[in-house]
Amino acid sequence: MKSFLKKNVTGAGAGGGSMADRRHWFAAVVLASVLVLVANSHLYPDTATDLALRLGPFRISPLSAVFALTAPQIALYCLWNMKRVRLGVTDLFLVAAITYIVIRGVAVQMGVSINGVGLVVIFGAHVLLIYYGAAILGQSLKVQKVVFVTLTALVVLASVYALVEFAFGRNLIYGSIIKKSLVPPEGRGYHRAGSLLGHPLALGMFIIQAVPFTAFLLASSRTRKWKLIYGGVIVVTMMALEVTFDKGPWAYAAIVGFLAVLWFFRYVPSSRRMMSILLLVLAVSLTLLTIAFSSRLYDSTLSRGRIGQSVSPREYMWSRAPVVFRQFPIFGVGMYQGGPIVSDVPPVITGDLKPIAIDNLYLSVLVEQGLAGFILLGTALVLIGRQFWKLLRNRSSLVRWAVPPVVCMVLTLMGGFSMDTLWMWPAMVVFWLSAGLLRALVEMDRRKDPPKETVVYG
């Protein structure tokens, strides 16, 4: 690992000891810290469990502990190297949006929960540290490659365990600590895999976020061995996606996958044979999985109970969200308060089946942040997306590296129509990591840094 980091991340010479070498090694430590911060949300279901160490009114969880260990060096590195980012209107709106969300959230949470205050602050810090950390560190294709491989490794772990969990019908590792409200009641006839993330919605979202990076590695590989490895990863992740029984991510994956196949067949003729084989293996694998568990698939998607569990709560919350928005149209009700307040709009459902999540990012932002927050955050997202257009307009050689993070962000925002994607911790950190990687490519293109790229792997 030491030699790998030295060769691919730091670029330090063999001698070491110089000021430049120490800066390179510190950059490697900060990169590892950013990746640990991301991985922490995908290896432990922090937001899907109430288990944590209690010290008086404070809840100390793995998420907060890892944040405390990684945030200082990331923040220090960003402050020292902020000159590598040309600050502009995008930064103005992004910082303003996050600052507004945090201040508004803290003001509301002060009267509700000390833990809520900490969660809002850590949320804002995660966004800025991951975004600017990736934007500065990512100004090297070697670092971009490390991030792509890391996301692929994380999605492999999550997908393999999802299939194991589905086969056993329960989460063997985290089943005893996951909130009961997130686990289907016994006797429903099905089990939805949540894997290491602890929740099927979070797992499904992470899979479709990560697969574009794996697809890039597959398309860039020049040896059969690596093509087989990355092709196998895509097949396993799609099988895992099926056993989440999340119809939204299914649809988004199908749309983007179809467009990707058309693009490859039309513009990359040399990939037609590879794509045909991958599609055949994928079709056979998913067909066999569907046939083998056809009754569980029906119970998990088309049964009356499953439709009621999926559709009815959203109808309940979406119909009541405008009522709350009209009461707090400018500043909203504050972060993490939208679900409980909307849920209590009469007539109220009582009992364990009472919905508490809005499950729509755009309604959630309007309800919790009001028009002020919606405009600030929406403008920041548009400006971030506009950076990709700059690369296209400049006909940059870095465009192809920008495709995976852009597709990841688009899929995350598409998922926002059926879940609170940017409020879900695992999805949020990957989204802002992708945004930071895109920003890094824009900064490289601005300085006309030579790509220095040959092949990704193989």
Side-chain angles (χ1 to χ4, degrees), residues 396-420:
S396 171
S397 59
L398 300 172
V399 165
R400 75 187 192 94
W401 285 85
V403 171
V406 168
V407 172
C408 172
M409 288 188 289
V410 169
L411 284 168
T412 307
L413 295 177
M414 288 173 63
F417 287 105
S418 59
M419 63 185 90
D420 302 322

Side-chain angles (χ1 to χ4, degrees), residues 7-313:
K7 177 181 178 182
N8 291 285
V9 181
T10 67
S18 70
M19 181 63 73
D21 287 342
R22 287 195 290 272
R23 285 199 299 266
H24 287 313
W25 280 113
F26 183 51
V29 170
V30 175
L31 174 61
S33 299
V34 171
L35 295 178
V36 166
L37 203 57
V38 173
N40 181 53
S41 299
H42 297 84
L43 298 178
Y44 180 80
D46 204 311
T47 56
T49 177
D50 291 324
L51 182 67
L53 176 64
R54 301 278 180 176
L55 293 178
F58 300 101
R59 176 180 181 267
I60 302 177
S61 67
L63 186 149
S64 57
V66 170
F67 175 78
L69 292 173
T70 57
Q73 57 264 32
I74 299 174
L76 187 62
Y77 183 84
C78 289
L79 291 174
W80 280 354
N81 295 276
M82 192 57 71
K83 62 184 179 181
R84 292 181 59 81
V85 175
R86 176 183 286 179
L87 300 179
V89 66
T90 301
D91 304 280
L92 175 64
F93 275 95
L94 174 59
V95 174
I98 300 305
T99 302
Y100 170 83
I101 290 171
V102 170
I103 291 176
R104 178 62 179 140
V106 168
V108 173
Q109 291 289 344
M110 285 293 289
V112 179
S113 165
I114 295 297
N115 287 320
V117 171
L119 193 61
V120 171
V121 172
I122 292 178
F123 172 89
H126 265 75
V127 172
L128 296 178
L129 289 177
I130 290 174
Y131 176 76
Y132 284 106
I136 296 170
L137 288 163
Q139 295 180 36
S140 160
L141 294 186
K142 294 176 182 179
V143 171
Q144 297 258 342
K145 178 173 64 177
V146 170
V147 176
F148 286 22
V149 172
T150 300
L151 289 173
T152 297
L154 288 174
V155 81
V156 167
L157 289 174
S159 298
V160 170
Y161 181 62
L163 295 174
V164 172
E165 176 190 345
F166 180 73
F168 281 90
R170 61 190 181 92
N171 195 319
L172 301 173
I173 300 176
Y174 297 128
S176 61
I177 65 172
I178 294 175
K179 298 175 184 177
K180 297 302 180 184
S181 60
L182 302 180
V183 181
E186 295 182 4
R188 288 284 180 89
Y190 64 88
H191 177 82
R192 302 173 64 194
S195 188
L196 301 171
L197 292 84
H199 195 295
L201 286 178
L203 174 61
M205 193 70 243
F206 175 49
I207 289 173
I208 64 173
Q209 284 181 313
V211 164
F213 297 94
T214 307
F216 176 88
L217 296 174
L218 171 64
S220 302
S221 299
R222 295 185 181 177
T223 65
R224 180 175 297 180
K225 180 185 75 172
W226 286 106
K227 289 182 184 296
L228 288 174
I229 290 173
Y230 291 125
V233 169
I234 291 175
V235 172
V236 171
T237 56
M238 290 300 101
M239 293 175 68
L241 181 61
E242 179 172 351
V243 299
T244 64
F245 303 115
D246 289 335
K247 295 183 286 293
W250 285 1
Y252 309 139
I255 293 170
V256 174
F258 177 73
L259 294 175
V261 169
L262 287 181
W263 188 88
F264 271 105
F265 271 89
R266 179 167 182 176
Y267 295 105
V268 191
S270 61
S271 70
R272 289 175 183 172
R273 184 171 180 271
M274 176 190 71
M275 292 300 299
S276 298
I277 295 174
L278 177 61
L279 289 173
L280 177 61
V281 174
L282 186 59
V284 170
S285 301
L286 294 179
T287 299
L288 291 176
L289 181 63
T290 301
I291 293 174
F293 299 99
S294 57
S295 61
R296 292 172 68 177
L297 180 65
Y298 173 81
D299 291 335
S300 304
T301 54
L302 301 176
S303 65
R304 180 177 299 179
R306 179 70 184 100
I307 292 175
Q309 186 190 43
S310 175
V311 176
S312 298

